[in-house]
PDB file of all heavy atoms in Angstrom:
ATOM      1  N   ALA Z   7       5.760  -9.687  -4.207  1.00 98.00           N
ATOM      2  CA  ALA Z   7       6.772 -10.273  -5.134  1.00 98.00           C
ATOM      3  C   ALA Z   7       8.069  -9.482  -5.106  1.00 98.00           C
ATOM      4  O   ALA Z   7       8.055  -8.268  -4.909  1.00 98.00           O
ATOM      5  CB  ALA Z   7       6.224 -10.328  -6.551  1.00 98.00           C
ATOM      6  N   THR Z   8       9.167 -10.160  -5.231  1.00 98.00           N
ATOM      7  CA  THR Z   8      10.463  -9.445  -5.150  1.00 98.00           C
ATOM      8  C   THR Z   8      10.591  -8.393  -6.229  1.00 98.00           C
ATOM      9  O   THR Z   8      11.273  -7.374  -5.998  1.00 98.00           O
ATOM     10  CB  THR Z   8      11.596 -10.448  -5.312  1.00 98.00           C
ATOM     11  OG1 THR Z   8      11.483 -11.203  -6.499  1.00 98.00           O
ATOM     12  CG2 THR Z   8      11.605 -11.455  -4.147  1.00 98.00           C
ATOM     13  N   SER Z   9       9.919  -8.556  -7.351  1.00 98.00           N
ATOM     14  CA  SER Z   9      10.074  -7.579  -8.434  1.00 98.00           C
ATOM     15  C   SER Z   9       9.357  -6.302  -8.156  1.00 98.00           C
ATOM     16  O   SER Z   9       9.666  -5.306  -8.806  1.00 98.00           O
ATOM     17  CB  SER Z   9       9.508  -8.203  -9.724  1.00 98.00           C
ATOM     18  OG  SER Z   9       8.207  -8.613  -9.561  1.00 98.00           O
ATOM     19  N   VAL Z  10       8.496  -6.262  -7.192  1.00 98.00           N
ATOM     20  CA  VAL Z  10       7.728  -5.034  -6.911  1.00 98.00           C
ATOM     21  C   VAL Z  10       8.065  -4.447  -5.503  1.00 98.00           C
ATOM     22  O   VAL Z  10       7.513  -3.341  -5.178  1.00 98.00           O
ATOM     23  CB  VAL Z  10       6.247  -5.238  -6.997  1.00 98.00           C
ATOM     24  CG1 VAL Z  10       5.907  -5.767  -8.412  1.00 98.00           C
ATOM     25  CG2 VAL Z  10       5.652  -6.077  -5.957  1.00 98.00           C
ATOM     26  N   LYS Z  11       8.860  -5.145  -4.717  1.00 98.00           N
ATOM     27  CA  LYS Z  11       9.200  -4.622  -3.331  1.00 98.00           C
ATOM     28  C   LYS Z  11       9.782  -3.243  -3.468  1.00 98.00           C
ATOM     29  O   LYS Z  11      10.650  -3.040  -4.271  1.00 98.00           O
ATOM     30  CB  LYS Z  11      10.091  -5.628  -2.702  1.00 98.00           C
ATOM     31  CG  LYS Z  11       9.429  -6.904  -2.197  1.00 98.00           C
ATOM     32  CD  LYS Z  11      10.448  -7.739  -1.480  1.00 98.00           C
ATOM     33  CE  LYS Z  11       9.761  -9.025  -0.944  1.00 98.00           C
ATOM     34  NZ  LYS Z  11      10.704  -9.933  -0.277  1.00 98.00           N
ATOM     35  N   GLY Z  12       9.326  -2.392  -2.567  1.00 98.00           N
ATOM     36  CA  GLY Z  12       9.864  -0.981  -2.543  1.00 98.00           C
ATOM     37  C   GLY Z  12       9.178  -0.112  -3.474  1.00 98.00           C
ATOM     38  O   GLY Z  12       9.367   1.127  -3.384  1.00 98.00           O
ATOM     39  N   ARG Z  13       8.377  -0.595  -4.440  1.00 98.00           N
ATOM     40  CA  ARG Z  13       7.701   0.181  -5.395  1.00 98.00           C
ATOM     41  C   ARG Z  13       6.169   0.153  -5.249  1.00 98.00           C
ATOM     42  O   ARG Z  13       5.522   1.151  -5.503  1.00 98.00           O
ATOM     43  CB  ARG Z  13       8.083  -0.254  -6.848  1.00 98.00           C
ATOM     44  CG  ARG Z  13       9.571  -0.110  -7.116  1.00 98.00           C
ATOM     45  CD  ARG Z  13       9.890  -0.371  -8.568  1.00 98.00           C
ATOM     46  NE  ARG Z  13       9.562  -1.738  -9.021  1.00 98.00           N
ATOM     47  CZ  ARG Z  13       8.531  -1.953  -9.887  1.00 98.00           C
ATOM     48  NH1 ARG Z  13       7.903  -1.051 -10.536  1.00 98.00           N
ATOM     49  NH2 ARG Z  13       8.354  -3.241 -10.254  1.00 98.00           N
ATOM     50  N   PHE Z  14       5.644  -1.030  -4.923  1.00 98.00           N
ATOM     51  CA  PHE Z  14       4.251  -1.172  -4.775  1.00 98.00           C
ATOM     52  C   PHE Z  14       3.890  -1.260  -3.302  1.00 98.00           C
ATOM     53  O   PHE Z  14       4.608  -1.791  -2.490  1.00 98.00           O
ATOM     54  CB  PHE Z  14       3.790  -2.408  -5.412  1.00 98.00           C
ATOM     55  CG  PHE Z  14       3.814  -2.426  -6.935  1.00 98.00           C
ATOM     56  CD1 PHE Z  14       4.488  -1.357  -7.620  1.00 98.00           C
ATOM     57  CD2 PHE Z  14       3.221  -3.452  -7.695  1.00 98.00           C
ATOM     58  CE1 PHE Z  14       4.495  -1.398  -9.015  1.00 98.00           C
ATOM     59  CE2 PHE Z  14       3.293  -3.453  -9.054  1.00 98.00           C
ATOM     60  CZ  PHE Z  14       3.935  -2.419  -9.723  1.00 98.00           C
ATOM     61  N   THR Z  15       2.638  -0.757  -2.982  1.00 98.00           N
ATOM     62  CA  THR Z  15       2.157  -0.858  -1.651  1.00 98.00           C
ATOM     63  C   THR Z  15       0.646  -1.334  -1.675  1.00 98.00           C
ATOM     64  O   THR Z  15      -0.169  -0.761  -2.332  1.00 98.00           O
ATOM     65  CB  THR Z  15       2.186   0.458  -0.903  1.00 98.00           C
ATOM     66  OG1 THR Z  15       3.524   0.955  -0.880  1.00 98.00           O
ATOM     67  CG2 THR Z  15       1.691   0.333   0.522  1.00 98.00           C
ATOM     68  N   ILE Z  16       0.379  -2.428  -0.928  1.00 98.00           N
ATOM     69  CA  ILE Z  16      -0.937  -2.898  -0.869  1.00 98.00           C
ATOM     70  C   ILE Z  16      -1.580  -2.479   0.452  1.00 98.00           C
ATOM     71  O   ILE Z  16      -0.893  -2.470   1.435  1.00 98.00           O
ATOM     72  CB  ILE Z  16      -1.009  -4.461  -1.055  1.00 98.00           C
ATOM     73  CG1 ILE Z  16      -2.450  -4.955  -1.163  1.00 98.00           C
ATOM     74  CG2 ILE Z  16      -0.251  -5.201   0.109  1.00 98.00           C
ATOM     75  CD1 ILE Z  16      -2.568  -6.450  -1.634  1.00 98.00           C
ATOM     76  N   SER Z  17      -2.850  -2.094   0.379  1.00 98.00           N
ATOM     77  CA  SER Z  17      -3.542  -1.748   1.601  1.00 98.00           C
ATOM     78  C   SER Z  17      -5.012  -2.182   1.465  1.00 98.00           C
ATOM     79  O   SER Z  17      -5.455  -2.553   0.404  1.00 98.00           O
ATOM     80  CB  SER Z  17      -3.410  -0.209   1.864  1.00 98.00           C
ATOM     81  OG  SER Z  17      -3.973   0.470   0.765  1.00 98.00           O
ATOM     82  N   ARG Z  18      -5.666  -2.077   2.589  1.00 97.00           N
ATOM     83  CA  ARG Z  18      -7.130  -2.499   2.579  1.00 97.00           C
ATOM     84  C   ARG Z  18      -7.934  -1.619   3.492  1.00 97.00           C
ATOM     85  O   ARG Z  18      -7.390  -1.123   4.496  1.00 97.00           O
ATOM     86  CB  ARG Z  18      -7.259  -4.001   2.879  1.00 97.00           C
ATOM     87  CG  ARG Z  18      -6.878  -4.361   4.321  1.00 97.00           C
ATOM     88  CD  ARG Z  18      -6.868  -5.871   4.449  1.00 97.00           C
ATOM     89  NE  ARG Z  18      -8.207  -6.451   4.456  1.00 97.00           N
ATOM     90  CZ  ARG Z  18      -8.469  -7.750   4.355  1.00 97.00           C
ATOM     91  NH1 ARG Z  18      -7.470  -8.645   4.209  1.00 97.00           N
ATOM     92  NH2 ARG Z  18      -9.722  -8.223   4.339  1.00 97.00           N
ATOM     93  N   ASP Z  19      -9.151  -1.492   3.158  1.00 95.00           N
ATOM     94  CA  ASP Z  19     -10.122  -0.824   4.014  1.00 95.00           C
ATOM     95  C   ASP Z  19     -11.248  -1.857   4.286  1.00 95.00           C
ATOM     96  O   ASP Z  19     -12.058  -2.094   3.447  1.00 95.00           O
ATOM     97  CB  ASP Z  19     -10.684   0.399   3.294  1.00 95.00           C
ATOM     98  CG  ASP Z  19     -11.574   1.281   4.158  1.00 95.00           C
ATOM     99  OD1 ASP Z  19     -12.184   0.695   5.158  1.00 95.00           O
ATOM    100  OD2 ASP Z  19     -11.750   2.467   3.879  1.00 95.00           O
ATOM    101  N   ASN Z  20     -11.168  -2.390   5.422  1.00 91.00           N
ATOM    102  CA  ASN Z  20     -12.113  -3.439   5.787  1.00 91.00           C
ATOM    103  C   ASN Z  20     -13.573  -2.982   5.844  1.00 91.00           C
ATOM    104  O   ASN Z  20     -14.487  -3.700   5.594  1.00 91.00           O
ATOM    105  CB  ASN Z  20     -11.728  -4.104   7.089  1.00 91.00           C
ATOM    106  CG  ASN Z  20     -10.461  -4.962   7.026  1.00 91.00           C
ATOM    107  OD1 ASN Z  20     -10.194  -5.447   5.942  1.00 91.00           O
ATOM    108  ND2 ASN Z  20      -9.714  -5.062   8.050  1.00 91.00           N
ATOM    109  N   ALA Z  21     -13.764  -1.754   6.227  1.00 90.00           N
ATOM    110  CA  ALA Z  21     -15.082  -1.198   6.288  1.00 90.00           C
ATOM    111  C   ALA Z  21     -15.745  -1.104   4.967  1.00 90.00           C
ATOM    112  O   ALA Z  21     -16.973  -1.201   4.828  1.00 90.00           O
ATOM    113  CB  ALA Z  21     -15.095   0.258   7.010  1.00 90.00           C
ATOM    114  N   LYS Z  22     -14.958  -0.894   3.971  1.00 91.00           N
ATOM    115  CA  LYS Z  22     -15.410  -0.768   2.553  1.00 91.00           C
ATOM    116  C   LYS Z  22     -15.197  -2.042   1.752  1.00 91.00           C
ATOM    117  O   LYS Z  22     -15.529  -2.145   0.507  1.00 91.00           O
ATOM    118  CB  LYS Z  22     -14.716   0.397   1.836  1.00 91.00           C
ATOM    119  CG  LYS Z  22     -14.962   1.754   2.405  1.00 91.00           C
ATOM    120  CD  LYS Z  22     -14.272   2.805   1.672  1.00 91.00           C
ATOM    121  CE  LYS Z  22     -14.578   4.229   2.228  1.00 91.00           C
ATOM    122  NZ  LYS Z  22     -13.844   5.213   1.446  1.00 91.00           N
ATOM    123  N   ASN Z  23     -14.611  -3.072   2.386  1.00 90.00           N
ATOM    124  CA  ASN Z  23     -14.292  -4.308   1.684  1.00 90.00           C
ATOM    125  C   ASN Z  23     -13.478  -4.030   0.435  1.00 90.00           C
ATOM    126  O   ASN Z  23     -13.802  -4.610  -0.672  1.00 90.00           O
ATOM    127  CB  ASN Z  23     -15.537  -5.171   1.376  1.00 90.00           C
ATOM    128  CG  ASN Z  23     -16.144  -5.812   2.611  1.00 90.00           C
ATOM    129  OD1 ASN Z  23     -15.416  -6.167   3.487  1.00 90.00           O
ATOM    130  ND2 ASN Z  23     -17.406  -5.952   2.621  1.00 90.00           N
ATOM    131  N   THR Z  24     -12.504  -3.133   0.502  1.00 95.00           N
ATOM    132  CA  THR Z  24     -11.769  -2.702  -0.672  1.00 95.00           C
ATOM    133  C   THR Z  24     -10.292  -2.924  -0.432  1.00 95.00           C
ATOM    134  O   THR Z  24      -9.733  -2.672   0.692  1.00 95.00           O
ATOM    135  CB  THR Z  24     -12.045  -1.248  -0.902  1.00 95.00           C
ATOM    136  OG1 THR Z  24     -13.445  -1.062  -1.160  1.00 95.00           O
ATOM    137  CG2 THR Z  24     -11.243  -0.755  -2.107  1.00 95.00           C
ATOM    138  N   VAL Z  25      -9.603  -3.369  -1.495  1.00 97.00           N
ATOM    139  CA  VAL Z  25      -8.166  -3.465  -1.471  1.00 97.00           C
ATOM    140  C   VAL Z  25      -7.603  -2.562  -2.495  1.00 97.00           C
ATOM    141  O   VAL Z  25      -8.152  -2.386  -3.574  1.00 97.00           O
ATOM    142  CB  VAL Z  25      -7.729  -4.925  -1.659  1.00 97.00           C
ATOM    143  CG1 VAL Z  25      -8.206  -5.474  -3.040  1.00 97.00           C
ATOM    144  CG2 VAL Z  25      -6.205  -5.081  -1.540  1.00 97.00           C
ATOM    145  N   TYR Z  26      -6.427  -1.985  -2.171  1.00 98.00           N
ATOM    146  CA  TYR Z  26      -5.799  -1.065  -3.081  1.00 98.00           C
ATOM    147  C   TYR Z  26      -4.326  -1.506  -3.348  1.00 98.00           C
ATOM    148  O   TYR Z  26      -3.689  -2.247  -2.599  1.00 98.00           O
ATOM    149  CB  TYR Z  26      -5.670   0.364  -2.427  1.00 98.00           C
ATOM    150  CG  TYR Z  26      -6.939   0.895  -1.913  1.00 98.00           C
ATOM    151  CD1 TYR Z  26      -7.382   0.666  -0.657  1.00 98.00           C
ATOM    152  CD2 TYR Z  26      -7.838   1.640  -2.803  1.00 98.00           C
ATOM    153  CE1 TYR Z  26      -8.578   1.191  -0.206  1.00 98.00           C
ATOM    154  CE2 TYR Z  26      -8.985   2.130  -2.334  1.00 98.00           C
ATOM    155  CZ  TYR Z  26      -9.433   1.949  -1.037  1.00 98.00           C
ATOM    156  OH  TYR Z  26     -10.624   2.418  -0.605  1.00 98.00           O
ATOM    157  N   LEU Z  27      -3.876  -1.147  -4.538  1.00 98.00           N
ATOM    158  CA  LEU Z  27      -2.472  -1.345  -4.893  1.00 98.00           C
ATOM    159  C   LEU Z  27      -1.915   0.005  -5.408  1.00 98.00           C
ATOM    160  O   LEU Z  27      -2.259   0.404  -6.568  1.00 98.00           O
ATOM    161  CB  LEU Z  27      -2.353  -2.436  -5.941  1.00 98.00           C
ATOM    162  CG  LEU Z  27      -0.929  -2.836  -6.273  1.00 98.00           C
ATOM    163  CD1 LEU Z  27      -0.296  -3.481  -5.089  1.00 98.00           C
ATOM    164  CD2 LEU Z  27      -0.902  -3.783  -7.472  1.00 98.00           C
ATOM    165  N   GLN Z  28      -1.097   0.587  -4.672  1.00 98.00           N
ATOM    166  CA  GLN Z  28      -0.426   1.798  -5.093  1.00 98.00           C
ATOM    167  C   GLN Z  28       0.928   1.361  -5.754  1.00 98.00           C
ATOM    168  O   GLN Z  28       1.765   0.702  -5.201  1.00 98.00           O
ATOM    169  CB  GLN Z  28      -0.027   2.695  -3.850  1.00 98.00           C
ATOM    170  CG  GLN Z  28       0.717   3.942  -4.228  1.00 98.00           C
ATOM    171  CD  GLN Z  28      -0.118   4.886  -5.043  1.00 98.00           C
ATOM    172  OE1 GLN Z  28      -1.288   5.188  -4.735  1.00 98.00           O
ATOM    173  NE2 GLN Z  28       0.475   5.434  -6.157  1.00 98.00           N
ATOM    174  N   MET Z  29       0.991   1.728  -7.049  1.00 98.00           N
ATOM    175  CA  MET Z  29       2.152   1.409  -7.854  1.00 98.00           C
ATOM    176  C   MET Z  29       2.941   2.599  -8.219  1.00 98.00           C
ATOM    177  O   MET Z  29       2.454   3.480  -8.914  1.00 98.00           O
ATOM    178  CB  MET Z  29       1.675   0.662  -9.108  1.00 98.00           C
ATOM    179  CG  MET Z  29       0.841  -0.532  -8.824  1.00 98.00           C
ATOM    180  SD  MET Z  29       0.330  -1.487 -10.332  1.00 98.00           S
ATOM    181  CE  MET Z  29      -0.709  -0.273 -11.131  1.00 98.00           C
ATOM    182  N   ASN Z  30       4.160   2.671  -7.724  1.00 98.00           N
ATOM    183  CA  ASN Z  30       5.066   3.741  -8.054  1.00 98.00           C
ATOM    184  C   ASN Z  30       6.272   3.251  -8.788  1.00 98.00           C
ATOM    185  O   ASN Z  30       6.546   2.130  -8.843  1.00 98.00           O
ATOM    186  CB  ASN Z  30       5.514   4.352  -6.683  1.00 98.00           C
ATOM    187  CG  ASN Z  30       4.460   5.032  -5.926  1.00 98.00           C
ATOM    188  OD1 ASN Z  30       3.374   5.486  -6.458  1.00 98.00           O
ATOM    189  ND2 ASN Z  30       4.543   4.938  -4.586  1.00 98.00           N
ATOM    190  N   SER Z  31       7.005   4.195  -9.417  1.00 98.00           N
ATOM    191  CA  SER Z  31       8.169   3.933 -10.141  1.00 98.00           C
ATOM    192  C   SER Z  31       7.933   2.789 -11.106  1.00 98.00           C
ATOM    193  O   SER Z  31       8.728   1.805 -11.225  1.00 98.00           O
ATOM    194  CB  SER Z  31       9.297   3.559  -9.192  1.00 98.00           C
ATOM    195  OG  SER Z  31       9.609   4.651  -8.296  1.00 98.00           O
ATOM    196  N   LEU Z  32       6.845   2.869 -11.902  1.00 98.00           N
ATOM    197  CA  LEU Z  32       6.499   1.771 -12.790  1.00 98.00           C
ATOM    198  C   LEU Z  32       7.525   1.574 -13.860  1.00 98.00           C
ATOM    199  O   LEU Z  32       8.103   2.499 -14.390  1.00 98.00           O
ATOM    200  CB  LEU Z  32       5.121   2.145 -13.429  1.00 98.00           C
ATOM    201  CG  LEU Z  32       3.996   1.894 -12.465  1.00 98.00           C
ATOM    202  CD1 LEU Z  32       2.682   2.646 -12.976  1.00 98.00           C
ATOM    203  CD2 LEU Z  32       3.627   0.393 -12.331  1.00 98.00           C
ATOM    204  N   LYS Z  33       7.693   0.349 -14.192  1.00 98.00           N
ATOM    205  CA  LYS Z  33       8.619  -0.175 -15.164  1.00 98.00           C
ATOM    206  C   LYS Z  33       7.888  -0.770 -16.343  1.00 98.00           C
ATOM    207  O   LYS Z  33       6.754  -1.287 -16.185  1.00 98.00           O
ATOM    208  CB  LYS Z  33       9.605  -1.122 -14.631  1.00 98.00           C
ATOM    209  CG  LYS Z  33      10.442  -0.575 -13.400  1.00 98.00           C
ATOM    210  CD  LYS Z  33      11.323  -1.675 -12.843  1.00 98.00           C
ATOM    211  CE  LYS Z  33      12.145  -1.181 -11.651  1.00 98.00           C
ATOM    212  NZ  LYS Z  33      12.984  -2.221 -11.123  1.00 98.00           N
ATOM    213  N   LEU Z  34       8.495  -0.948 -17.460  1.00 97.00           N
ATOM    214  CA  LEU Z  34       7.977  -1.589 -18.611  1.00 97.00           C
ATOM    215  C   LEU Z  34       7.526  -3.018 -18.283  1.00 97.00           C
ATOM    216  O   LEU Z  34       6.449  -3.544 -18.701  1.00 97.00           O
ATOM    217  CB  LEU Z  34       8.879  -1.616 -19.802  1.00 97.00           C
ATOM    218  CG  LEU Z  34       8.729  -0.532 -20.824  1.00 97.00           C
ATOM    219  CD1 LEU Z  34       8.903   0.813 -20.205  1.00 97.00           C
ATOM    220  CD2 LEU Z  34       9.647  -0.760 -21.991  1.00 97.00           C
ATOM    221  N   GLU Z  35       8.305  -3.700 -17.419  1.00 96.00           N
ATOM    222  CA  GLU Z  35       7.988  -5.070 -17.071  1.00 96.00           C
ATOM    223  C   GLU Z  35       6.744  -5.225 -16.187  1.00 96.00           C
ATOM    224  O   GLU Z  35       6.311  -6.339 -15.915  1.00 96.00           O
ATOM    225  CB  GLU Z  35       9.156  -5.684 -16.341  1.00 96.00           C
ATOM    226  CG  GLU Z  35       9.501  -4.991 -14.979  1.00 96.00           C
ATOM    227  CD  GLU Z  35      10.960  -5.282 -14.506  1.00 96.00           C
ATOM    228  OE1 GLU Z  35      11.877  -4.892 -15.230  1.00 96.00           O
ATOM    229  OE2 GLU Z  35      11.091  -5.920 -13.473  1.00 96.00           O
ATOM    230  N   ASP Z  36       6.218  -4.082 -15.682  1.00 98.00           N
ATOM    231  CA  ASP Z  36       4.999  -4.119 -14.898  1.00 98.00           C
ATOM    232  C   ASP Z  36       3.704  -4.204 -15.802  1.00 98.00           C
ATOM    233  O   ASP Z  36       2.694  -4.378 -15.294  1.00 98.00           O
ATOM    234  CB  ASP Z  36       4.873  -2.877 -14.060  1.00 98.00           C
ATOM    235  CG  ASP Z  36       5.981  -2.832 -12.953  1.00 98.00           C
ATOM    236  OD1 ASP Z  36       6.314  -3.860 -12.395  1.00 98.00           O
ATOM    237  OD2 ASP Z  36       6.520  -1.753 -12.737  1.00 98.00           O
ATOM    238  N   THR Z  37       3.889  -4.093 -17.063  1.00 98.00           N
ATOM    239  CA  THR Z  37       2.822  -4.167 -17.978  1.00 98.00           C
ATOM    240  C   THR Z  37       2.133  -5.560 -17.841  1.00 98.00           C
ATOM    241  O   THR Z  37       2.821  -6.598 -18.052  1.00 98.00           O
ATOM    242  CB  THR Z  37       3.277  -3.885 -19.441  1.00 98.00           C
ATOM    243  OG1 THR Z  37       3.671  -2.551 -19.549  1.00 98.00           O
ATOM    244  CG2 THR Z  37       2.111  -4.146 -20.392  1.00 98.00           C
ATOM    245  N   ALA Z  38       0.869  -5.610 -17.571  1.00 98.00           N
ATOM    246  CA  ALA Z  38       0.166  -6.841 -17.375  1.00 98.00           C
ATOM    247  C   ALA Z  38      -1.236  -6.539 -17.114  1.00 98.00           C
ATOM    248  O   ALA Z  38      -1.713  -5.496 -16.950  1.00 98.00           O
ATOM    249  CB  ALA Z  38       0.779  -7.566 -16.165  1.00 98.00           C
ATOM    250  N   VAL Z  39      -2.063  -7.618 -17.169  1.00 98.00           N
ATOM    251  CA  VAL Z  39      -3.429  -7.585 -16.653  1.00 98.00           C
ATOM    252  C   VAL Z  39      -3.346  -7.848 -15.200  1.00 98.00           C
ATOM    253  O   VAL Z  39      -2.790  -8.987 -14.757  1.00 98.00           O
ATOM    254  CB  VAL Z  39      -4.343  -8.576 -17.367  1.00 98.00           C
ATOM    255  CG1 VAL Z  39      -5.746  -8.531 -16.756  1.00 98.00           C
ATOM    256  CG2 VAL Z  39      -4.339  -8.276 -18.860  1.00 98.00           C
TER     257      VAL Z  39
END
């Protein structure tokens, strides 16, 4: 999403069937479920 570009990074580990979301420089507007 344009609102998170440059701040969030998504990655995956296929061997573990796991997805990650690294969230940096968090803002108040990132508050969510």
